Amino acid sequence: MFNNLTLGRSAQHKADLPVGVLFMVALAIAAACLFLTMALIDFGPAEQPLVTLVASHLEQSGVENPVTAVLLNFRSYDTLLEVAVLLIVALAVMPANSEQSKVRFISVLVPTERSFVLEAFLRWLLPAIVVTSGYLLWTGAALPGGAFQAGALLAGAGILLLLAGHHSFNFNASAARLLLVVGLAVFLLVGAAVILSSGIALAYPQAWAGILILVIEVAATLTIAAILVLLFCALQVEAPRANYEGLIKEERP
Amino acid sequence: MTQAMLYAVFGIVLFGVGLFGALAIAHVMKKLLAINICGVGVFMVFIANASSGVAADYVPHAMVLTGIVVAVAGTAMALSLVVRINTLEQQEEDA
Amino acid sequence: MTGSELVIDLLLGCGTVVTAVLCLTAKDMFQAILLFISMGLLVTLAWVRLGAWDVAIAEAAIGAGLTGALLIATRRQLNC
Amino acid sequence: MPLSDVSSLLPLLVAIPLTGAIFSVLINSKHGQVLTGLLAALSLALVIGVILLGLPSDGLQSTAVFRYPIAGWEAPLGIALSLDGFSALLLTLTTFLVTVLTFYSAYYFSASPARVRFWPLWWLLVAGINALFLSADIFNVYVTLEIIGLAAVALVALSGNKAGLTAALRYLLVGLLGSLCYLMAVALLYHVYGTLDFAQLAAEAESNPLSWSALVLITVGLVLKTALVPLHFWLPHAHGSAPAPVSAILSALVVKASFYLLVRFWMEILAPAVTNGALILLGILGGLAILWGCIQALRATRLKLMVAYSTVAQIGYLFLLFPLLMSAEGTSAAQLAVQHQSALAAVSYFIVAHACAKAAMFIAAGNIIHSLGHDDIAKLQGMAKYMPLSLFTFAIAGGSLIGLPPSAGFIAKWLLLNVAIDTQQWWWVVIILTGGLLAALAIFRVLDLAFIKSEQASEQVAPAHWRKVPVAMPLSGLALALCTMALGFNADLIIDLITIGGGE
């Protein structure tokens, strides 16, 4: 089932298993799903005790949006580990060439081919995106939205910038590496610092909860945006690197 | 059949479709699509169950948000591996 | 639940499943990715129907948008 | 909040490796990263030492479980860390192995450009493993499983060649699928019981169709990650093509992490949903794994692949735990509890013995590759002359895997045999002994070749491309191998620890 992985130029859904086996697998999965469906319907709807618990503790959480309260206060530990997951992926896809750590994070370059539509579009869109992501982050406390949505939006701006061809990013630069870990680092620092007042890791003092959550979210947004742009860069290996080499010679005095 | 139940069933069906696809298809990118579909099915079961009571339960919403980010992280990692393997294969072909 | 709401939910659910199946059986990789993204958007609507606005925004931005962008970028590298 | 006891130290076990990871990203220099690593390992060892000293020492009478509610919210609203004897043992094992392997990696990666990414990923992996052993929340466990899975894949991919990358990709796909099965089970359990906390679930769980479904999904997902036959296909290549310290931690700890979870679910959380038939099924798969792994190890032509297949076999022994949990007719609850305790003690011993021995073996194999540039078994003839320490390590660790006295492997098998005989399941005795025999054949095949003197005197020159390794590298392997010996003489240490908080 997994021994025969094809990267294949063609997307043909060629199976590596005999039809008989596939049929059996399909049958087994269908039977299991049917059983699961019956069991779930049989059990019926459930009233969760957590609904009232979340509602009654929302005031102490420092935010008004219950999802944000769960993500960054009640179950903040999950979110902390989730930022660690993103860091792992960032490290895994980072370009292996560590010799470039002296090159700047963002460099300006002359694009090989210019797209005037995209450029004009960007001039208006970029500030709008940055403002909107800031707004998403800010409203995350009360309305739907938050660090991940804001980070994704900010990353979109970065990717557009990349596509326009005027800039390139070097994720081995110290500034970039700082950006990659700042979310996790701030989260850990805040989590440890509150021990001084409440005695328990990540237990924010109630009066400070709102502001601390915002601090964590801002740092997380930066990290998430940086990591998402890095992911996109990593999958575009050839294209930017071609004019990247030329850039280093030009940039250095 | 309530709305929540309906979506839960669709979630289970998506899970099954994705699972079968992930096992049966050899092409890596489609395997990855299948795994993602499988994940969407799981998320749908979470969210559907969360709305089955009188008031919405926000804890599964938070869990699904975490799940979505983890899923995209895994997908990105797999895709970067695919690209790197492909680059090596092309170098082999060129050599 | 009124009848028209049930129809919307049924259509959304069936649409999601059908798009998923089409995505996995598509011959062309680009087509498969587009179908995957459309499935993401349908699922986003489903989250809205279920009252999960946060999840809907995240699904549209990350689940459909970002994953789609990554998939298309990879496909361009692979030429498949 | 009275947190003056050892539980206040629990978050440190996750925070220290995470901090280590952050500093290894920020500090790019070689010495900085190594220094960070050694400091992190040292502080982990210190913390675990203090925790062990703080544990109650009254053995069987104690039912203490230490809990730490993170963010100050008690379950079910918040997430708790918890520590009992079983997790304390595994955390101690993790800390010990990580310390040795960090020391080894400092040398192994000293000249490799991969070190820049190795160190942060290494510490993130350690954070994931520690977080998993500490977690008392089934969704939190999912996140830790993903940390472990993704970090492990990234570490396997460090080898950078096509075989390594393909193995990593396969490992990743399998891991993602396994995690999703697990996550589906979390959705079901949360729907039914309204909580994610281990203890609360265990108190409320009952035998109903949704519990069965959840147990099946969890088992399929985790068995995939633990690589039990027939779902082991991804393991040999992933473990066989990774850099040596990575192979060592994958075989020694990562597969054990998902096995630990299986034990938690089958013995505690979903115990009411477990049936005798299911226990026997897992046992049969375990038996098959022992035989199949040993046979493949015998047929392997590469040393690391052989060691990896031996892991497949050793995982099989772990799954013999499950049939030994079966209750015979007429056994009282107290008798059953004692039986469970002794079965778990035997398997815990097995985990520790195998972890040390396998890490030692992968280190030895890594040294051999470092020296020779290959690990072709057929070309190892007479190599003992050039790499005496590494091959000596290989021999001692091999002895423990076979189960020769006085090694820890011997005690582990002896304990397992005892439980099998006590519960009158003699057929496992046959399989355990056959497995030992086959393992002996595989290991002596290598040793025979390596220690034999070449017939022709002309071949007594050093092989081409031979490189001397820093003496610290074989020494760290030897230290681990000697540990398996030392544990053989001090069996009580582990068995006392495992009984803490194990009162059922």
Coordinates of all heavy atoms in Angstrom, one line a residue, chain D residues 390-418:
Chain D
S390 N 33.4 -1.0 18.9 CA 32.1 -1.0 18.3 C 31.6 -2.5 18.2 O 30.4 -2.7 18.5 CB 32.1 -0.4 16.9 OG 32.3 1.0 17.0
L391 N 32.4 -3.4 17.8 CA 31.9 -4.8 17.6 C 31.7 -5.4 19.0 O 30.8 -6.3 19.1 CB 32.9 -5.6 16.8 CG 32.6 -5.2 15.3 CD1 33.7 -5.5 14.4 CD2 31.3 -5.9 14.8
F392 N 32.5 -5.0 20.0 CA 32.3 -5.5 21.3 C 30.9 -5.0 21.8 O 30.1 -5.8 22.4 CB 33.4 -5.0 22.2 CG 33.3 -5.6 23.6 CD1 33.3 -6.9 23.9 CD2 33.4 -4.7 24.7 CE1 33.2 -7.4 25.2 CE2 33.3 -5.2 26.0 CZ 33.2 -6.6 26.2
T393 N 30.6 -3.7 21.6 CA 29.3 -3.2 21.9 C 28.2 -3.9 21.3 O 27.2 -4.3 21.9 CB 29.2 -1.7 21.4 OG1 30.3 -1.0 22.0 CG2 27.9 -1.1 21.8
F394 N 28.4 -4.2 20.0 CA 27.4 -4.9 19.2 C 27.2 -6.3 19.8 O 26.0 -6.8 19.9 CB 27.9 -5.1 17.7 CG 26.9 -5.5 16.8 CD1 26.1 -4.6 16.2 CD2 26.7 -6.9 16.5 CE1 25.1 -5.0 15.3 CE2 25.8 -7.3 15.6 CZ 25.0 -6.4 15.0
A395 N 28.2 -6.9 20.3 CA 28.1 -8.3 20.8 C 27.3 -8.3 22.1 O 26.4 -9.1 22.4 CB 29.5 -8.9 21.1
I396 N 27.7 -7.3 23.0 CA 27.0 -7.3 24.3 C 25.5 -6.9 24.1 O 24.6 -7.6 24.7 CB 27.6 -6.2 25.2 CG1 29.1 -6.5 25.5 CG2 26.8 -6.1 26.6 CD1 29.7 -5.5 26.4
A397 N 25.2 -5.9 23.3 CA 23.9 -5.5 23.0 C 23.1 -6.7 22.4 O 22.0 -7.0 22.7 CB 23.8 -4.3 22.1
G398 N 23.8 -7.4 21.5 CA 23.2 -8.5 20.8 C 22.8 -9.6 21.8 O 21.8 -10.2 21.8
G399 N 23.7 -9.8 22.8 CA 23.4 -10.8 23.8 C 22.2 -10.4 24.6 O 21.4 -11.3 24.9
S400 N 22.0 -9.2 24.8 CA 20.8 -8.7 25.5 C 19.5 -9.0 24.7 O 18.5 -9.4 25.2 CB 20.9 -7.3 25.9 OG 19.7 -6.9 26.6
L401 N 19.7 -8.7 23.4 CA 18.5 -8.9 22.5 C 18.1 -10.4 22.4 O 17.0 -10.8 22.4 CB 18.8 -8.4 21.1 CG 18.8 -6.9 21.0 CD1 19.0 -6.5 19.5 CD2 17.5 -6.3 21.5
I402 N 19.2 -11.2 22.4 CA 18.9 -12.7 22.3 C 18.3 -13.1 23.6 O 17.4 -14.0 23.7 CB 20.2 -13.4 22.1 CG1 20.8 -13.1 20.7 CG2 20.0 -14.9 22.1 CD1 22.3 -13.5 20.6
G403 N 18.7 -12.5 24.7 CA 18.2 -12.9 26.0 C 19.2 -13.8 26.8 O 18.8 -14.7 27.5
L404 N 20.5 -13.6 26.6 CA 21.5 -14.4 27.3 C 21.7 -13.8 28.7 O 21.7 -12.6 28.8 CB 22.8 -14.3 26.5 CG 22.9 -14.9 25.1 CD1 24.2 -14.7 24.5 CD2 22.5 -16.4 25.2
P405 N 21.8 -14.6 29.7 CA 22.1 -14.1 31.0 C 23.5 -13.6 31.0 O 24.4 -14.1 30.3 CB 22.0 -15.4 31.9 CG 22.1 -16.5 31.0 CD 21.7 -16.1 29.7
P406 N 23.9 -12.6 31.8 CA 23.1 -11.9 32.8 C 22.5 -10.6 32.3 O 22.4 -9.7 33.1 CB 24.1 -11.7 33.9 CG 25.3 -11.4 33.1 CD 25.3 -12.1 31.8
S407 N 22.2 -10.5 31.1 CA 21.7 -9.2 30.5 C 20.3 -8.9 30.9 O 19.6 -9.7 31.4 CB 21.8 -9.3 29.0 OG 20.9 -10.2 28.5
A408 N 19.9 -7.6 30.7 CA 18.6 -7.2 31.0 C 17.6 -7.9 30.1 O 16.5 -8.2 30.5 CB 18.5 -5.7 30.8
G409 N 18.0 -8.2 28.9 CA 17.1 -8.9 28.0 C 16.7 -10.3 28.5 O 15.6 -10.7 28.4
F410 N 17.7 -10.9 29.2 CA 17.4 -12.2 29.8 C 16.3 -12.1 30.9 O 15.4 -12.8 30.9 CB 18.7 -12.8 30.4 CG 18.5 -14.0 31.3 CD1 18.1 -15.2 30.8 CD2 18.6 -13.8 32.7 CE1 17.9 -16.3 31.6 CE2 18.4 -14.9 33.5 CZ 18.0 -16.1 33.0
I411 N 16.5 -11.1 31.8 CA 15.5 -10.9 32.9 C 14.2 -10.6 32.3 O 13.1 -11.1 32.7 CB 15.9 -9.7 33.8 CG1 17.4 -9.9 34.3 CG2 15.0 -9.5 35.0 CD1 17.6 -10.6 35.5
A412 N 14.1 -9.7 31.2 CA 12.9 -9.4 30.6 C 12.2 -10.6 30.1 O 11.0 -10.8 30.4 CB 13.1 -8.4 29.5
K413 N 12.9 -11.4 29.4 CA 12.3 -12.6 28.8 C 11.8 -13.6 29.9 O 10.8 -14.2 29.9 CB 13.2 -13.3 27.9 CG 13.2 -12.7 26.5 CD 13.9 -13.5 25.5 CE 13.8 -12.7 24.1 NZ 14.7 -13.3 23.1
W414 N 12.7 -13.7 31.0 CA 12.4 -14.6 32.1 C 11.1 -14.1 32.8 O 10.2 -14.9 33.1 CB 13.6 -14.6 33.0 CG 13.4 -15.5 34.2 CD1 13.5 -16.9 34.1 CD2 13.2 -15.2 35.5 NE1 13.3 -17.4 35.3 CE2 13.1 -16.4 36.2 CE3 13.1 -14.0 36.2 CZ2 12.9 -16.5 37.6 CZ3 12.9 -14.1 37.6 CH2 12.8 -15.3 38.2
L415 N 10.9 -12.8 33.0 CA 9.7 -12.3 33.6 C 8.5 -12.6 32.7 O 7.4 -13.0 33.2 CB 9.8 -10.8 33.8 CG 10.7 -10.3 34.9 CD1 10.9 -8.8 34.8 CD2 10.2 -10.7 36.3
L416 N 8.7 -12.4 31.4 CA 7.6 -12.6 30.5 C 7.2 -14.1 30.5 O 6.0 -14.5 30.5 CB 8.0 -12.2 29.1 CG 7.0 -11.7 28.1 CD1 6.2 -10.5 28.7 CD2 7.6 -11.3 26.8
L417 N 8.2 -15.0 30.5 CA 7.9 -16.4 30.5 C 7.2 -16.8 31.7 O 6.2 -17.6 31.7 CB 9.2 -17.2 30.4 CG 10.0 -17.2 29.1 CD1 11.3 -17.9 29.2 CD2 9.1 -18.0 28.0
N418 N 7.6 -16.2 32.9 CA 6.9 -16.5 34.1 C 5.4 -16.2 34.1 O 4.6 -17.0 34.5 CB 7.5 -15.6 35.2 CG 8.5 -16.4 36.0 OD1 8.6 -17.6 35.9 ND2 9.3 -15.7 36.8

